[in-house]
Amino acid sequence: MPTFKPEKPNLPGTTFFEKSVRYSSLLLHFILWLLVGASVLYPRIMHLGGYPATDEGVYAYYSQIIYNSLSSGNGLPNYGTLALYPALLSWVFQFDFNYLFSLRIIDMLMATISGYLLFYISYKESKNIYVAALLATVYLFAANQPIFVQHGFKNSFSAAIIPALVAIIVGQNSQWQHPIKWYFCGALLSVSILLRETFVPFAMLGFISIFFSYGLKNALRYSFGGIIAGTAILFSIVKLRGPGGFESLIHSYQDAYILYESLSSKRIDLFLQNGATSIKEAAWAVITSILLIITFPFLFLKQVPSSFSRILFWFAAATIPLLEPLIKIGFPYHFSLSLIGLCGLSSVISRELLATFKSIFFAIFLAIFLVGAYL
């Protein structure tokens, strides 16, 4: 007697066409991730073998003397500023390899990680992976130009921005509602500050944003998390510096202040001169920002944009980096940090344009492509 096998149900995603579409989508997403990675790696790899430059020589020197001091059992050197980033990378000197080349590669890895975090944030803000990939590519390619990073180990920006970007991602994660996440965000910002002391205004921006969006209680949790983590790390560093470690640390920052004050008469000239140089070097990113920001008033024609608070946040994040060259001595790399905030700002505005004025949005992105091709 013949038997009949039941036919397999034609479930969604099981047909050849649907599988092809799915695999094509995965391949396209993979290509987008490669594009974002290349925007960081390409400008850096081209200069990895360059001669030692100014600031990276100072950072490498601190790494070397920290390694020598720790390896001899003397703790951290009892002079100089925090230098947390050089301290964390001092282990490279135990290997028989070109130490400066190693430090540049590690910093390139840090820049790649921060680049992908920015890409993810841009996707969350724009709600469109193609828009996010284009914007992240534009801004990351500009931020990793030699004038900003020299040969790859000029400053601690690439490492310091990672905890800050992770804090933004965690803070916006609506699925994690436990109060401990605000302590965690504060701790992350404290790490950013210890890696780059001038990140203090970003921590203040975080407090203000949490206060208005999530209430005073969560803002205080964020503050306590930062204070506890920052104090613990700072205490450990001072302890490793030995007797008088705190006093020597304070004196080092006082000496740095005296140096900056001695050049205060040139502060405005350097700000304008190096600001103009930065705009010229990051022309594609600057033009992209201008094209999107000038459409901002059109978003109010129908109603106040739903993401208005996000626009204010990223606008503040883009302008805060200008404080450092105004207060200290302005060099091009100080201005490069504004590109992170501009990427977030452009992402939010793109989302609003897509939802309200699609034709204007596509015209702007066509202009962005044409500008990039011309430059």
Side-chain angles (χ1 to χ4, degrees), residues 142-153:
N144 288 278
Q145 291 301 308
I147 193 170
F148 300 131
V149 301
Q150 283 181 338
H151 300 138
F153 191 59

Side-chain angles (χ1 to χ4, degrees), residues 248-303:
S248 66
L249 185 65
I250 296 299
H251 289 154
S252 297
Y253 283 101
Q254 288 176 340
D255 293 340
Y257 174 77
I258 293 172
L259 173 64
Y260 295 136
E261 280 300 304
S262 67
L263 298 171
S264 60
S265 60
K266 299 181 179 180
R267 190 172 294 155
I268 300 300
D269 291 339
L270 287 172
F271 180 86
L272 297 175
Q273 178 183 343
N274 289 315
T277 301
S278 302
I279 291 173
K280 180 180 178 181
E281 290 295 323
W284 191 16
V286 173
I287 293 173
T288 298
S289 302
I290 293 173
L291 288 172
L292 288 167
I293 291 173
I294 59 176
T295 65
F296 182 69
F298 292 98
L299 299 177
F300 290 88
L301 293 179
K302 293 185 178 180
Q303 59 182 6

Side-chain angles (χ1 to χ4, degrees), residues 78-307:
N78 199 3
Y79 59 89
T81 56
L82 276 176
L84 181 58
Y85 192 41
L88 293 175
L89 301 184
S90 61
W91 54 268
V92 303
F93 287 90
Q94 67 181 305
F95 300 105
D96 188 17
F97 192 67
N98 187 319
Y99 67 87
L100 197 54
F101 191 75
S102 303
L103 292 170
R104 289 170 179 174
I105 290 177
I106 295 171
D107 195 71
M108 183 172 64
L109 175 62
M110 296 296 104
T112 305
I113 294 172
S114 62
Y116 280 126
L117 289 172
L118 183 64
F119 175 37
Y120 180 79
I121 290 174
S122 180
Y123 168 64
K124 287 294 185 179
E125 295 287 17
S126 66
K127 307 299 183 184
N128 188 301
I129 193 168
Y130 306 109
V131 172
L134 175 60
L135 291 176
T137 298
V138 169
Y139 289 99
L140 290 173
F141 184 76
N144 288 278
Q145 291 301 308
I147 193 170
F148 300 131
V149 301
Q150 283 181 338
H151 300 138
F153 191 59
K154 183 174 177 62
N155 51 59
S156 57
F157 279 177
S158 298
I161 198 66
I162 290 176
L165 293 177
V166 172
I168 293 174
I169 294 172
V170 171
Q172 289 189 286
N173 186 356
S174 58
Q175 295 181 348
W176 187 11
Q177 296 292 342
H178 198 283
I180 198 173
K181 86 172 185 178
W182 300 114
Y183 294 102
F184 182 56
C185 288
L188 287 169
L189 260 296
S190 70
V191 174
S192 288
I193 292 171
L194 293 173
L195 285 168
R196 183 75 186 182
E197 298 89 336
T198 52
F199 272 46
V200 170
F202 289 106
M204 297 171 62
L205 173 62
F207 177 86
I208 295 170
S209 300
I210 295 170
F211 172 72
F212 283 105
S213 299
Y214 302 99
L216 178 61
K217 185 179 292 186
N218 288 325
L220 291 176
R221 288 170 177 154
Y222 164 84
S223 300
F224 292 147
I227 292 171
I228 293 169
T231 302
I233 298 172
L234 188 60
F235 177 80
S236 301
I237 294 173
V238 171
K239 190 74 174 176
L240 285 171
R241 289 169 73 109
F246 182 74
E247 290 79 4
S248 66
L249 185 65
I250 296 299
H251 289 154
S252 297
Y253 283 101
Q254 288 176 340
D255 293 340
Y257 174 77
I258 293 172
L259 173 64
Y260 295 136
E261 280 300 304
S262 67
L263 298 171
S264 60
S265 60
K266 299 181 179 180
R267 190 172 294 155
I268 300 300
D269 291 339
L270 287 172
F271 180 86
L272 297 175
Q273 178 183 343
N274 289 315
T277 301
S278 302
I279 291 173
K280 180 180 178 181
E281 290 295 323
W284 191 16
V286 173
I287 293 173
T288 298
S289 302
I290 293 173
L291 288 172
L292 288 167
I293 291 173
I294 59 176
T295 65
F296 182 69
F298 292 98
L299 299 177
F300 290 88
L301 293 179
K302 293 185 178 180
Q303 59 182 6
V304 176
S306 58
S307 55

